[in-house]
Amino acid sequence: MNDDDLLAARFESHRPHLRAVAYRMLGSLGEAEDAVQEAWFRLSRTDVSDVGNLAGWLTTVTGRICLDMLRSRESRREDPIGERLPDPIVSVGDHVDPEHEALLADSVGLALLVVLDTLAPAERLAFVLHDMFSVPFEEIATIVERSPATTRQLASRARRRVQGARVAPDPDLARQREVVAAFLSAARDGDFGALVSVLDPDVVLRVEGADVPIGTLRVIRGAAEVAGQAMTFRTMADRYVPVLVNGAVGMMSAPNGKPKIVAAVTVSGGKIVAMDILASPERLRRLAFSPAPSRDPASSPGGQGQG
């Protein structure tokens, strides 16, 4: 094995970690892969013989690439912050694909990624690298071209935003399924009172789908208002595939094995506090499902009327 092969092998051993960094930074699986590939190109063109900590070097490089991508995204305004859902990681069944386990470490739910999307690029970088990956502020400061003290303040501001908006989901998947099943049953029956009873008073529903302009989200807040959208869920209630979305209980409508709706549900304190629904045909076509959904969801285990 020559030196190039050895370097490539060393890089591949760090790829899962770098994908996790990039996914938290960008909220896009495709862009995360692009960022990691760019990190490889930079590594292959750099003499790292004197680099003692290759993992740290690669993390810093990947962070810098992601920061540039976020800033470019803002300047083009093709993908305004807060106006699209992050890419969900969907697993059909009870277990997360091993390839995705590193991406979902530390409970990186879709709701958390939505919050991260509201941060300024430098704040997001400081928070993700320091709070999620323990990168020292001195190293992050060189990426954002600020002093370590200012970089610490960036992370602190981001942390307050995240803590103020983040809700930790109930850890018991079985309990999450019970709540989601109750919601679907109430939606199927058109029972407004039962719907409200399983929704947190301040529940937030975010929908990105074919019925809204590209690049925008329809956001509905409050139990009564979300319950009033029950007709939206009737098709899903009658015929759906139970899934895990970023490691938490979710649901998917997949007639003839073609995903039509993917919903991430955040359950906390026995109530639904957030629902994030992706119904954009273009984006659903680009998502990877593990394993692929059955062509007959109603006939799969737990496929109809079960949580």
Side-chain angles (χ1 to χ4, degrees):
M1 183 178 288
N2 59 36
D3 290 345
D4 289 342
D5 291 336
L6 286 172
L7 187 63
R10 291 179 67 191
F11 179 82
E12 287 303 317
S13 70
H14 296 297
R15 183 182 288 274
H17 166 75
L18 299 178
R19 289 181 70 225
V21 171
Y23 179 57
R24 286 157 178 75
M25 281 292 300
L26 300 168
S28 164
L29 293 170
E31 289 183 352
E33 290 289 356
D34 290 343
V36 173
Q37 194 61 26
E38 177 61 24
W40 160 247
F41 290 146
R42 296 190 187 186
L43 173 64
S44 65
R45 297 192 297 263
T46 304
D47 180 3
V48 292
S49 57
D50 294 331
V51 174
N53 180 3
L54 184 61
W57 187 91
L58 286 169
T59 298
T60 299
V61 168
T62 302
R64 183 174 288 112
I65 293 167
C66 291
L67 180 63
D68 290 343
M69 293 172 73
L70 287 175
R71 286 172 171 168
S72 177
R73 181 191 291 177
E74 276 200 329
S75 65
R76 293 194 312 269
R77 300 194 67 80
E78 292 174 359
D79 193 5
I81 288 179
E83 293 194 343
R84 86 198 225 312
L85 289 176
D87 286 346
I89 297 175
V90 183
S91 302
V92 181
D94 293 334
H95 302 288
V96 176
D97 189 292
E99 182 181 353
H100 292 150
E101 287 181 351
L103 291 176
L104 298 179
D106 302 320
S107 301
V108 183
L110 207 65
L112 172 59
L113 290 173
V114 169
V115 178
L116 293 180
D117 267 349
T118 67
L119 302 177
E123 290 178 342
R124 185 168 187 168
L125 177 82
F127 175 80
V128 168
L129 290 190
H130 181 267
D131 285 42
M132 294 185 168
F133 295 99
S134 302
V135 177
F137 284 120
E138 290 75 14
E139 295 181 21
I140 302 172
T142 64
I143 303 175
V144 296
E145 299 179 335
R146 312 279 180 89
S147 69
T150 301
T151 304
R152 188 183 299 272
Q153 292 174 356
L154 289 173
S156 180
R157 285 203 300 268
R159 194 177 304 116
R160 288 195 296 270
R161 292 277 297 277
V162 170
Q163 291 174 345
R166 183 181 184 183
V167 177
D170 291 343
D172 187 347
L173 285 177
R175 179 56 182 149
Q176 290 183 38
R177 288 191 177 94
E178 290 176 5
V179 174
V180 172
F183 173 84
L184 289 171
S185 177
R188 182 170 51 248
D189 297 339
D191 189 334
F192 184 84
L195 282 167
V196 170
S197 71
V198 297
L199 297 172
D200 184 86
D202 298 318
V203 62
V204 179
L205 169 65
R206 289 173 286 255
V207 182
E208 180 182 345
D211 60 338
V212 295
I214 294 175
T216 60
L217 285 178
R218 180 156 53 95
V219 181
I220 300 170
R221 302 177 186 275
E225 289 75 11
V226 172
Q229 300 294 311
M231 288 300 296
T232 303
F233 306 102
R234 284 195 172 184
T235 300
M236 185 179 291
D238 287 334
R239 193 173 183 85
Y240 78 100
V241 178
V243 295
L244 295 179
V245 181
N246 286 51
V249 168
M251 44 193 175
M252 176 171 67
S253 175
N256 298 317
K258 296 182 179 180
K260 184 177 181 181
I261 298 172
V262 170
V265 184
T266 304
V267 177
S268 181
K271 302 282 187 179
I272 294 174
V273 298
M275 297 185 69
D276 295 290
I277 296 178
L278 181 60
S280 165
E282 179 182 351
R283 292 194 62 197
L284 286 171
R285 280 195 297 270
R286 297 200 302 263
L287 289 183
F289 299 88
S290 178
S294 166
R295 293 189 59 82
D296 184 10
S299 66
S300 63
Q304 184 170 348
Q306 297 182 29

